[in-house]
Amino acid sequence: MLHEFLDNFLHNLFKPLLLFFYAGFLIPLFKVKLEFPKAVYQGMTIYLLLAIGWHGGEELAGLEPAMLKQALGFMLIGCVTNTVIGFMAYGILRGVTKIRQVDAATVAGYYGSDSAGTFVTAMGVLTAAQIAYAPYMPVMLAVMEIPGCLVALYIVSQLRRKGMDGAGNMPLEPDYDPSVQRVLHAEEHGEHGHGETQVKVRREQLVGVGTTASGTSNGNHNSGDSKEAYMALEEEANIPPEEVAAAQSGSWLNRETLHEVFMNPGIFLLFAGIAIGFIGRVQGSKVTASDDPLFINLFHGILCIFLLEMGITACSKLRDLGAAGWQFVAFAIIAPNIFATTGILVAHGYSMFLGQPFEIGTYLLFAVLCGASSYIAVPAVQRLAIPEASPTLPLAASLGCTFSYNVTIGIPVYILIATAITRAMPVG
């Protein structure tokens, strides 16, 4: 089995997918003056999400009733598993790191969600290695992205009830100031224009970021955080009034927040692709043939370029980890193994309950859905509903460490763990 792992590990490290990721990772290190166009990245993300959703919807429509029932059960189990993982992440972060509670809650939300980039990379590896997986797994990507958002919102709502100040500090934490208000009423600044008013509201939400730019004793803010936070303030100057009203609401689940959770662009595109593929397959024959030029043949090439950009982003985020301490870096590398193994054990338990063995590819995809960290859905929710949290710390862990680990080392490790478990406890 060790020989099999080493073979998978070495083959995975030198697949074109990962070579593109390495190339992107080296760009910031070598100070290559290459700026990846944002519009191109957004276009590739839209394409990949729609392609995954379309393929998953077509496969879902072709399932036998028994397999469809299995898929629905797996989706429910996946939601519960990622919810538990979110709370596990919060407990671990509170126990082993020195980051603020609000940042721990936000990071926990990232890890209670999943990663489209990690998922599509794992799918690419499985396809290249001709390892089978359940056809409904792409649907799991959309469903399992939601729990982390809800976990983060719930924990932060509890922190606010316990006296968190407007800068996100709790009692007994450095820089705690109960006089700092989280949100000012917009009408208090009625003499200003709409854009300026909203900037003032956002600035009041993040008050303390600028005042602690030199670094707090617990290492939660730095000059990078301050600069990026204030850049974000100016970019968000046109926030609609209804969002300000939602932020003022004491409820942790208001209409605007729920809309951001369930209708953020990533989840919407996935579900749209699933619906299109499902309806198209039900109404007639399968739309995407095995040699479809757009959604099949082009997929691998787009994924390679996507990983080039992800490598650039992952490397650029590494510098943001220094302020959080080595314990936080260790969490971002070790936690994916714990959560992915939890996912594999849960999937195998479900397989044993059904009395039907799963393909190794199914275990791997479920493992990365449990062990990966969000960088699309949860950041969007954080921007709207948790402005007190650090804007860079969660992304630094998610992209700088966890994503890099998962797509290089994690995938063969999870295949090894799944193989060992299924051999030690065979189903049926």
Side-chain angles (χ1 to χ4, degrees), residues 31-70:
K31 298 181 179 179
V32 179
K33 295 181 179 179
L34 172 64
E35 183 177 349
F36 204 92
K38 182 179 179 180
V40 174
Y41 168 74
Q42 290 176 332
M44 290 190 303
T45 303
I46 291 170
Y47 167 83
L48 291 172
L49 291 173
L50 283 174
I52 294 170
W54 188 330
H55 179 70
E58 286 192 330
E59 296 295 339
L60 195 63
L63 295 179
E64 298 292 333
M67 183 66 74
L68 182 59
K69 183 178 179 181
Q70 178 190 120

Side-chain angles (χ1 to χ4, degrees), residues 278-285:
F278 184 88
I279 295 171
R281 179 75 179 269
V282 169
Q283 294 297 318
S285 60

Side-chain angles (χ1 to χ4, degrees), residues 67-77 350:
M67 183 66 74
L68 182 59
K69 183 178 179 181
Q70 178 190 120
L72 294 174
F74 211 3
M75 291 175 203
L76 177 61
I77 290 172
Y350 184 52

Side-chain angles (χ1 to χ4, degrees), residues 4 8 11-12 15-18 55 117-138 299-300 303 307 358-369 406-407 410-416 418-419:
E4 183 180 347
N8 286 334
H11 276 78
N12 186 63
K15 289 184 183 297
L17 286 175
L18 273 300
H55 179 70
T118 309
F119 187 85
V120 296
T121 304
M123 282 183 59
V125 170
L126 292 175
T127 301
Q130 297 183 333
I131 300 176
Y133 56 88
Y136 53 77
M137 290 309 292
F299 186 89
H300 192 78
L303 180 56
L307 283 172
F358 289 160
E359 303 283 357
I360 289 297
T362 302
Y363 285 102
L364 172 63
L365 293 178
F366 192 72
V368 299
L369 290 173
N406 275 332
V407 299
I411 289 174
V413 168
Y414 306 153
I415 292 176
L416 173 68
T419 302

Side-chain angles (χ1 to χ4, degrees), residues 110-185:
Y110 279 62
Y111 284 83
S113 185
D114 56 38
S115 163
T118 309
F119 187 85
V120 296
T121 304
M123 282 183 59
V125 170
L126 292 175
T127 301
Q130 297 183 333
I131 300 176
Y133 56 88
Y136 53 77
M137 290 309 292
V139 184
M140 302 283 286
L141 172 64
V143 173
M144 291 178 65
E145 196 166 17
I146 296 171
C149 301
L150 301 180
V151 167
L153 291 171
Y154 174 76
I155 296 176
V156 171
S157 73
Q158 298 304 305
L159 296 179
R160 287 173 180 149
R161 289 193 177 98
K162 293 177 182 178
M164 183 174 72
D165 68 18
N169 300 305
M170 293 293 292
L172 303 181
E173 289 183 343
D175 300 319
Y176 174 70
D177 184 357
S179 66
V180 175
Q181 300 298 311
R182 174 171 171 255
V183 178
L184 288 178
H185 290 283

